[in-house]
Amino acid sequence: KIMVNHSQSQVEIWNSIAPEWHGFKTNPSQHVNEFLENKNGNVLNHGSGSGRHLISIPKDFKGKLFLVDFSKQ
C-alpha cells in the first residue's frame, strides 16, 4: 500500500511512488497505440514515467514525442 505524506511536494510524492508504479505500469496501453495509429504531428505525454508507450509506437507514426514527468525515479 502506498502511503502519502500530504506535506510533501508533488515531486517528492511522485518520487516516493515511482518504483511501485513502474512495476505496475510496464506495458504500453492499447488505447495509446490505437490513438497514435495513422497520426501525424507532435504528442506531449505528460506523466510519461519510464516511457512505456515508446516501446510500441506504430511504425507509420510521423511526428515527435515529448515526454515529461515530475519524477526522475
Side-chain angles (χ1 to χ4, degrees), residues 14 21 44-53 66-71:
W14 285 110
W21 189 256
L44 171 62
N45 182 352
H46 188 262
S48 60
S50 63
R52 68 188 168 113
H53 299 298
F66 298 90
L67 291 87
V68 179
D69 201 284
F70 276 122
S71 177

Side-chain angles (χ1 to χ4, degrees), residues 13-64:
I13 290 170
W14 285 110
N15 282 341
S16 71
I17 67 171
E20 185 173 341
W21 189 256
H22 175 72
F24 177 67
K25 297 282 190 174
T26 56
N27 296 319
S29 173
Q30 184 61 35
H31 73 272
V32 172
N33 291 337
E34 290 170 2
F35 173 79
L36 292 175
E37 284 181 16
N38 303 313
K39 294 285 194 292
N40 297 315
N42 300 329
V43 174
L44 171 62
N45 182 352
H46 188 262
S48 60
S50 63
R52 68 188 168 113
H53 299 298
L54 295 176
I55 295 170
S56 62
I57 295 173
K59 292 179 182 173
D60 62 348
F61 179 74
K62 293 175 178 62
K64 294 181 182 178

